[in-house]
Amino acid sequence: MKNILYMLLLLLPFQLSAQQKLSGIVKDEQGRPLDAATITISQQGQVITSQLADLGKFTLTNLNQSPYQLSVSLIGYKPLLRTFSLPKDSLNLTLLNDSKQLKEVAITFTKPTVERKIDRVVFNVENSIMASGGTAWDALGKAPGVRTASDGGVTANNKGVTVYMDGKPIRLSGDDLAAYLQSIPSDQISKIEVMPNPSSKYEAQGGAVIEIVSKKIKSDGFNATLNGGYTRGQLNRYTGGGMFNYRKNKLNIFGTYSYADRDLQRNLSQYTIFQTPASYAYWDMNKININGSKVNNYTAGADYNLTDNQVVGVLITGNNSANTGSSTSLTNIYNNYRVYPDSVLNTNSTSAGHLNQYSFNLNYKAKLDSSGRSLNVDLDYAPYTRNNTQYLNNLTYLPDGSLASAPYHTSFPATQKINIWSGQLDYEYKLGKIWSMESGIKYTSTVSENQFDFYNTAGIAPILDSSKSDQFKYTENTAAGYTSINGAFGKWDFKGGIRAEYTTTKGLSSSLDSINVNKYLRIFPTVFVTYKASENSEFGFNYSKRIDRPDYRQLNPAKSYSSPYNYWSGNPFLKPAIINSFQLSYTLHQNYTFSAVYTQIDDLASNVTVQDNVNKTFYDTQRNIGSIRDLGTELSSVHHPFSWWEINNTAQGYLRTQNSDQPGNTYNYRQFYFYLRSDHAFTIDKNSGLKAEVSAWYNSPVQQGTLRIAQTYDLSAGISKQVFNKQGTIKFSAADLLYSNPYRILINNGGQNNGIYQKNDTRAFTVSFSYKLGKSVAAARKRTTASEEERKRAN
């Protein structure tokens, strides 16, 4: 294993960056850092960017070697003007006290709602009325190019994603990911960064990366923020929480807490046509699902400065939830084209369970010298436990009201335990005066144990049916290493890197009496190149190769029944998907970006339905469905018709080609589909902090494998007002006003003929309030814990 790690660490990079960085610090005459000083960068009289200093520190990106004009301003100090050119190590700026400055003068800077950068799109949640006031899951669905599904699925630019929170991947997927993010108030979120082609420093898992950045409290002493919200859809939802930070001398203690009590209703209609040469049956099912969850999320951590250049920290996170569910469904069965049903299935289901997830992190960071060399060590342990028991009762009636068969009563207790141990080391250094280098290694060990029991409860005592029960154990060990380099010369910016991951997996299923073992070494290069033709014109190219491993639930072969004839099951033989992405872009005036994109996904793992027309059973499982190739164009623009009106537009269009030669899943499709979005932000009264926002999007029909997914669209709006001397903010928002965001699927392929229409609780009205205690905003040291990438795939 040591030889593998050494080999990975020595891998040579060839990456190119779109941004050249320059850091600096602003101090007063006594050498004390000045927080919230406004830094403005101009070139030939045109403002390029502006930001607020964070405890005196700032970082400028996307710069070239042309001369820049820098201005620094802060109430009570004389403005500072300076001209500089690159390359330059850093800027050390001093502001002089100005006793003559008027007390009422205020200097403010507001970030735009959406910022488009060469390698990512930044969605500033705290500036969005509709995204704030709800939950982190609501905010995620408002980010440009991001789409969320009712089953917890998340995509960005048509690719599966790994979701990070403050530099740490969230180890949940599906409904668990949605429930986790739904328990975090969006008022605790600062911004969401969407990276369609992330750099090699990030885990290779997932076609894209979404980084959720929480708000930070930066002031000395004790500071806190409290927030709460109420949402009314078909049922009630409540969220509340707070965050605090205590900073004094070498010690910084911080924490967050949030609580969510949510009830969601989903109305499902499904038809299935079972047809053979000798028979025809039409099954028409209508179902109401009500799911409830009570979730507690919390973090607690501390950082201690051993010296000026060394920091050690600990971080503990927890997620505890109690979940309940109930459903009632009626299925009318029409045989041989009859007008009236021959029989009716009356199915009721209830479930209850708990989920407990923790993460224990120890972190050490050292700045080795003034040239930028630094070392970071991260150790992690993340245990996860989920238990759930489902009770299913079915009665089948004939037209005269008599029972057609014996009652069907069952229960399914299930338990999943996952333990993840991991560690990583990152080393940053310089190569000459222009090039910045970073290398790292990581090792992760994961063990997932799953127990599923099937009991027949129709009699006096429950009877275990071992033929339908299962024990499934899955282990995965991954050793990874990466190296990256970035720099610039002339009008060219370069960033590139290479990542290698050696993975061994083993799946053992008692019901299938099978062992599935895989070992593979994969190399993942990334390349970014930009050419600045002029001050207002820039060309770019990027390429990345990624992997999308199945999550643990997709691999689990245990069957989860929704009726005696309908169930869901995973597939332990799934292979990881490989994703190759190319993009050519052109940016004009930093407001308009045109891109040509190509994405190829091989061995895509997707939902597949299997229909038995003879035995009249229907189940949903996971399979590698073949390859998908998307060739398209992406357009984005930012407009400011007036100083009080900001418009962000996105248009994406793709030609999709996909094929599969698997038995029972043969197809060859070519289809054009597109996505449109327009967001409008209005500043109604700047002095009182009165703002409004309107957002609309449309997603055209699209084919994925055998699934024909229908169009969806959305119209949402919101308004906010600052109160209590701008220490508090009250907000009201209305989501999916037209109730036009259902989940509709049609399948007609290989002997299958069925359709699903699910109306989710998406039309909702939210009122929220947040209040700041203390001096302003936060900042415990950001850290990337080593185990978070594996926890995302847990269920």
Side-chain angles (χ1 to χ4, degrees):
M1 183 58 66
K2 289 183 178 180
N3 292 333
I4 294 175
L5 296 179
Y6 290 149
M7 177 194 72
L8 295 175
L9 183 60
L10 294 174
L11 289 170
L12 293 178
F14 61 90
Q15 172 166 341
L16 311 170
S17 171
Q19 296 183 350
Q20 185 171 354
K21 295 182 179 179
L22 176 63
S23 299
I25 187 168
V26 181
K27 299 180 180 179
D28 62 12
E29 296 172 86
Q30 286 72 42
R32 295 172 297 196
L34 295 176
D35 192 29
T38 300
I39 316 296
T40 302
I41 301 298
S42 303
Q43 204 169 48
Q44 297 180 353
Q46 180 180 356
V47 175
I48 303 300
T49 185
S50 186
Q51 62 178 268
L52 297 178
D54 180 358
L55 294 178
K57 298 180 181 179
F58 62 91
T59 301
L60 307 174
T61 60
N62 202 23
L63 303 178
N64 54 36
Q65 295 184 350
S66 302
Y68 288 93
Q69 292 77 46
L70 176 144
S71 66
V72 186
S73 59
L74 183 65
I75 297 174
Y77 295 86
K78 296 180 179 179
L80 174 68
L81 299 175
R82 178 172 294 184
T83 300
F84 69 92
S85 299
L86 296 178
K88 182 181 291 290
D89 290 336
S90 62
L91 292 173
N92 197 329
L93 308 173
T94 300
L95 295 186
L96 303 178
N97 183 65
D98 186 0
S99 58
K100 297 180 181 179
Q101 209 170 61
L102 296 176
K103 293 182 179 181
E104 297 300 320
V105 174
I107 301 175
T108 60
F109 167 67
T110 302
K111 293 181 180 179
T113 304
V114 177
E115 297 178 89
R116 302 186 184 277
K117 301 183 179 181
I118 191 64
D119 62 340
R120 68 192 64 194
V121 176
V122 180
F123 176 51
N124 291 304
V125 175
E126 54 192 343
N127 292 345
S128 171
I129 300 165
M130 290 179 295
S132 56
T135 69
W137 177 257
D138 300 329
L140 189 62
K142 301 296 182 184
V146 177
R147 300 171 215 176
T148 58
S150 60
D151 61 356
V154 182
T155 60
N157 291 46
N158 299 308
K159 293 185 285 188
V161 304
T162 297
V163 181
Y164 286 67
M165 175 76 80
D166 293 329
K168 303 172 299 224
I170 301 173
R171 309 293 183 170
L172 296 170
S173 61
D175 286 334
D176 286 341
L177 174 64
Y180 171 71
L181 293 178
Q182 285 167 357
S183 69
I184 300 175
S186 58
D187 285 327
Q188 293 184 4
I189 305 301
S190 171
K191 61 184 178 180
I192 295 174
E193 298 184 349
V194 183
M195 291 167 270
N197 296 320
S199 70
S200 60
K201 180 178 180 179
Y202 287 93
E203 297 285 345
Q205 169 66 22
V209 164
I210 295 177
E211 173 91 33
I212 300 175
V213 181
S214 61
K215 293 180 179 178
K216 311 295 178 185
I217 299 176
K218 302 172 184 139
S219 306
D220 287 336
F222 180 83
N223 296 270
T225 299
L226 302 176
N227 53 69
Y230 166 73
T231 299
R232 176 65 188 185
Q234 296 187 71
L235 301 172
N236 295 318
R237 309 168 207 170
Y238 306 91
T239 58
M243 53 191 299
F244 79 92
N245 191 83
Y246 176 76
R247 184 191 304 273
K248 185 175 182 180
N249 300 327
K250 295 183 177 182
L251 179 65
N252 183 43
I253 302 174
F254 54 93
T256 64
Y257 173 77
S258 62
Y259 173 77
D261 186 344
R262 298 171 61 84
D263 292 310
L264 294 171
Q265 179 174 321
R266 296 170 178 170
N267 300 328
L268 174 68
S269 299
Q270 179 176 337
Y271 76 85
T272 308
I273 298 176
F274 297 104
Q275 187 170 11
T276 68
S279 66
Y280 175 94
Y282 183 92
W283 290 40
D284 183 17
M285 186 264 284
N286 289 282
K287 185 176 184 179
I288 297 176
N289 285 299
I290 296 178
N291 297 303
S293 63
K294 293 179 172 60
V295 187
N296 293 276
N297 278 307
Y298 45 89
T299 64
D303 291 330
Y304 185 78
N305 290 74
L306 301 172
T307 66
D308 290 341
N309 297 322
Q310 297 184 77
V311 181
V312 64
V314 294
L315 177 65
I316 300 173
T317 64
N319 169 234
N320 310 114
S321 66
N323 307 294
T324 59
S326 65
S327 68
T328 302
S329 69
L330 288 176
T331 304
N332 293 304
I333 300 175
Y334 303 84
N335 291 316
N336 299 320
Y337 304 97
R338 290 191 176 97
V339 177
Y340 299 103
D342 297 275
S343 58
V344 177
L345 305 182
N346 187 337
T347 307
N348 297 297
S349 174
T350 60
S351 64
H354 292 82
L355 183 151
N356 296 295
Q357 176 183 318
Y358 304 95
S359 176
F360 305 94
N361 169 256
L362 177 64
N363 184 277
Y364 168 79
K365 184 171 185 178
K367 183 179 178 182
L368 303 179
D369 57 31
S370 60
S371 68
R373 288 197 306 135
S374 65
L375 178 71
N376 190 86
V377 180
D378 211 332
L379 301 175
D380 243 316
Y381 170 58
Y384 170 100
T385 302
R386 177 180 181 174
N387 61 74
N388 186 78
T389 300
Q390 180 184 0
Y391 300 89
L392 181 67
N393 302 301
N394 182 82
L395 298 173
T396 304
Y397 294 96
L398 294 174
D400 61 4
S402 62
L403 287 175
S405 60
Y408 183 88
H409 300 308
T410 56
S411 66
F412 325 112
T415 301
Q416 182 180 38
K417 296 181 179 179
I418 301 175
N419 284 288
I420 305 168
W421 296 88
S422 58
Q424 68 182 47
L425 181 148
D426 298 286
Y427 177 57
E428 297 182 18
Y429 51 104
K430 293 282 188 179
L431 186 64
K433 293 185 177 181
I434 296 178
W435 300 100
S436 297
M437 303 282 294
E438 185 172 11
S439 298
I441 56 175
K442 178 179 179 180
Y443 183 78
T444 303
S445 176
T446 303
V447 178
S448 175
E449 298 179 279
N450 307 269
Q451 177 72 44
F452 175 85
D453 294 324
F454 185 101
Y455 286 92
N456 185 337
T457 59
I460 298 176
I463 299 175
L464 177 66
D465 187 341
S466 58
S467 66
K468 295 182 178 180
S469 302
D470 187 44
Q471 288 182 331
F472 179 65
K473 184 176 182 179
Y474 178 81
T475 61
E476 181 176 290
N477 298 300
T478 299
Y482 76 93
T483 300
S484 66
I485 183 172
N486 68 80
F489 55 88
K491 296 184 177 182
W492 293 88
D493 289 313
F494 304 97
K495 183 178 182 181
I498 192 165
R499 186 179 188 91
E501 296 186 355
Y502 179 74
T503 302
T504 62
T505 67
K506 181 179 180 181
L508 173 62
S509 171
S510 62
S511 64
L512 299 177
D513 191 22
S514 66
I515 299 177
N516 186 38
V517 179
N518 284 309
K519 297 181 180 181
Y520 53 88
L521 172 66
R522 298 282 167 80
I523 307 298
F524 304 98
T526 57
V527 178
F528 295 85
V529 184
T530 61
Y531 174 74
K532 198 172 186 65
S534 67
E535 293 304 319
N536 298 318
S537 181
E538 185 174 89
F539 295 88
F541 167 78
N542 64 67
Y543 163 75
S544 70
K545 182 178 180 181
R546 311 270 299 167
I547 190 171
D548 196 359
R549 299 183 181 91
D551 64 50
Y552 307 130
R553 180 172 180 266
Q554 289 178 295
L555 295 166
N556 189 348
K559 298 176 181 178
S560 176
Y561 286 83
S562 58
S563 82
Y565 310 96
N566 195 325
Y567 64 88
W568 187 97
S569 177
N571 180 1
F573 301 103
L574 285 177
K575 297 184 291 184
I578 300 299
I579 306 165
N580 285 276
S581 300
F582 299 82
Q583 182 183 55
L584 284 170
S585 64
Y586 172 70
T587 302
L588 180 66
H589 293 293
Q590 298 188 353
N591 290 329
Y592 305 90
T593 300
F594 310 86
S595 301
V597 297
Y598 175 77
T599 301
Q600 178 170 320
I601 306 176
D602 296 310
D603 291 324
L604 174 68
S606 177
N607 283 68
V608 173
T609 58
V610 180
Q611 182 177 319
D612 186 338
N613 291 321
V614 176
N615 296 310
K616 296 181 175 55
T617 60
F618 178 88
Y619 70 91
D620 193 350
T621 187
Q622 299 282 313
R623 288 182 183 172
N624 295 107
I625 62 172
S627 64
I628 287 182
R629 297 177 294 279
D630 283 339
L631 176 64
T633 300
E634 298 175 356
L635 310 175
S636 62
S637 64
V638 181
H639 304 276
H640 294 87
F642 303 98
S643 60
W644 46 268
W645 185 6
E646 178 187 331
I647 305 174
N648 283 275
N649 293 323
T650 300
Q652 301 172 344
Y654 307 91
L655 176 64
R656 169 166 288 187
T657 304
Q658 52 186 327
N659 56 72
S660 173
D661 56 4
Q662 294 189 9
N665 236 7
T666 302
Y667 55 80
N668 194 337
Y669 298 118
R670 285 175 69 90
Q671 177 198 20
F672 177 77
Y673 68 102
F674 59 93
Y675 171 75
L676 304 174
R677 184 182 185 111
S678 185
D679 298 283
H680 300 253
F682 307 93
T683 302
I684 300 173
D685 187 340
K686 187 175 182 180
N687 293 328
S688 64
L690 182 62
K691 299 179 180 179
E693 190 172 339
V694 177
S695 176
W697 58 261
Y698 174 83
N699 193 33
S700 74
V702 65
Q703 188 87 29
Q704 179 170 307
T706 59
L707 309 181
R708 172 72 175 180
I709 304 172
Q711 68 178 9
T712 52
Y713 54 96
D714 182 283
L715 175 65
S716 301
I719 190 167
S720 71
K721 175 74 168 63
Q722 291 181 321
V723 293
F724 300 131
N725 197 27
K726 298 188 177 181
Q727 288 292 102
T729 303
I730 187 168
K731 301 173 184 176
F732 174 79
S733 64
D736 196 8
L737 286 165
L738 304 178
Y739 218 168
S740 50
N741 196 2
Y743 192 54
R744 184 186 290 112
I745 292 178
L746 297 177
I747 303 169
N748 192 346
N749 180 71
Q752 296 194 65
N753 191 343
N754 56 80
I756 299 171
Y757 179 83
Q758 180 169 293
K759 202 160 191 179
N760 302 300
D761 204 352
T762 52
R763 182 163 64 184
F765 302 91
T766 299
V767 59
S768 68
F769 178 73
S770 63
Y771 188 78
K772 299 177 182 178
L773 300 171
K775 297 179 178 177
S776 187
V777 269
R781 180 169 52 102
K782 242 195 204 180
R783 67 193 69 182
T784 302
T785 64
S787 74
E788 292 299 325
E789 175 60 27
E790 295 312 310
R791 289 175 56 216
K792 172 188 178 293
R793 297 163 57 207
N795 254 326

